[in-house]
Amino acid sequence: SEATFTCRAPGPIACPPGALNKIYQSIAGWDAITNESAGALGRLTETRSEFEKRRVNSVAANAVGPIGAVRAAVLSVEGVLDVYAVDNKSGSSALIGGVTVAANSIYVAAVGGDENDIAQAILAKASAGCGFTGDTTVTVYDNDYPDPKPEYDISFQVPDNIPLYIAVSVRDDDSLPTDIEEKIKAEMMAEIEQGGEVALKIGYSVYALDFSEAIKRAYADVNIISIKIGKSASPTGDYVDFNIDEVPTLDATNITVTQV
């Protein structure tokens, strides 16, 4: 079975594949745990563009009904790192971002946060009478009424963590530091952790060349031969597209650096 875990410590806390392997508190029927893919990284600070987006979202959160208001409300839930929200106003199901969204319904994908808080935020901002599409359903109550409170089943999506694989080839040169491979990996990870050119977001495309500046930061005179990226080992692509039910993750163990 699968479950969602959230790190309570702020910042870029790495969670590589297999790192979750101990159960600190005994629970009946639960005897083992492992994470097959890396977890989504948090950050301590936001970039200027992220601040501007958050400012816009804070304004949108004042509304009720528009999908932007729903997204803003879910983004404000404690622990939520990323949100993708879209609505299908048509009378038939529609394929949006690789996901089939039911007719007259909204689709919200969220990374992190408490499921009940997310569902309550959606209920507070969604248009009356709309349906919901997603793999997670939570029953929430309208607290504006006395008991017995009206109850609603709110569905939303918990995206799958999809590991990225990156293969870097650089020109073999006697001037390169002996630890050049480790330096390149560290700078590529910092590109993610510190909010550089590469954004690992729900439904985004990730381009291999966006990592070139990070590689140059590791050693300015390094000659890059190629950068390939993909969803499986030995990647061969120049970019990777992700559906709106997927969030890319990157761990240093999935980066290979070869001197040619």
Side-chain angles (χ1 to χ4, degrees):
S1 61
E2 296 183 356
T4 301
F5 292 83
T6 301
C7 178
R8 293 186 176 182
I13 309 299
C15 182
L20 299 181
N21 53 33
K22 295 181 181 179
I23 302 173
Y24 86 97
Q25 183 176 352
S26 177
I27 297 177
W30 186 18
D31 59 4
I33 178 178
T34 186
N35 58 308
E36 295 181 356
S37 60
L41 285 172
R43 288 213 305 275
L44 285 173
T45 58
E46 60 187 351
T47 65
R48 179 68 185 180
S49 63
E50 288 173 330
F51 167 75
E52 291 298 337
K53 289 179 181 178
R54 181 165 61 84
R55 182 185 61 79
V56 171
N57 286 328
S58 67
V59 175
N62 294 324
V64 174
I67 194 65
V70 177
R71 181 175 184 271
V74 177
L75 273 173
S76 68
V77 171
E78 182 179 359
V80 170
L81 299 177
D82 189 24
V83 176
Y84 192 104
V86 67
D87 57 350
N88 175 20
K89 295 183 174 67
S90 70
S92 58
S93 61
L95 185 65
I96 303 174
V99 173
T100 300
V101 180
N104 301 309
S105 72
I106 65 172
Y107 169 90
V108 178
V111 177
D114 179 81
E115 292 182 353
N116 287 287
D117 292 342
I118 292 171
Q120 197 70 54
I122 294 172
L123 174 64
K125 295 297 182 178
S127 298
C130 77
F132 306 95
T133 295
D135 66 351
T136 301
T137 301
V138 177
T139 300
V140 294
Y141 300 88
D142 190 339
N143 293 318
D144 289 338
Y145 289 87
D147 293 331
K149 295 177 171 56
E151 63 180 57
Y152 301 89
D153 289 333
I154 306 297
S155 296
F156 59 93
Q157 187 76 25
V158 177
D160 294 328
N161 285 352
I162 307 297
L164 274 176
Y165 293 82
I166 305 175
V168 178
S169 295
V170 300
R171 181 73 180 270
D172 192 0
D173 189 328
D174 291 339
S175 69
L176 294 178
T178 56
D179 60 347
I180 185 62
E181 296 180 13
E182 289 73 19
K183 287 181 180 295
I184 288 175
K185 289 184 180 182
E187 288 295 342
M188 292 176 70
M189 291 303 301
E191 185 75 11
I192 304 298
E193 297 167 0
Q194 298 173 13
E197 291 294 325
V198 184
L200 301 187
K201 299 286 189 178
I202 303 169
Y204 274 38
S205 297
V206 182
Y207 293 86
L209 284 179
D210 286 343
F211 287 95
S212 58
E213 290 187 11
I215 297 172
K216 284 289 188 180
R217 284 199 302 269
Y219 187 70
D221 293 331
V222 68
N223 292 303
I224 302 171
I225 296 175
S226 67
I227 309 172
K228 296 298 179 181
I229 193 169
K231 294 182 180 180
S232 59
S234 302
T236 59
D238 297 318
Y239 63 91
V240 182
D241 294 327
F242 289 88
N243 295 338
I244 61 174
D245 61 350
E246 298 176 329
V247 57
T249 64
L250 181 63
D251 184 74
T253 57
N254 291 343
I255 303 173
T256 60
V257 181
T258 305
Q259 299 182 53
V260 180

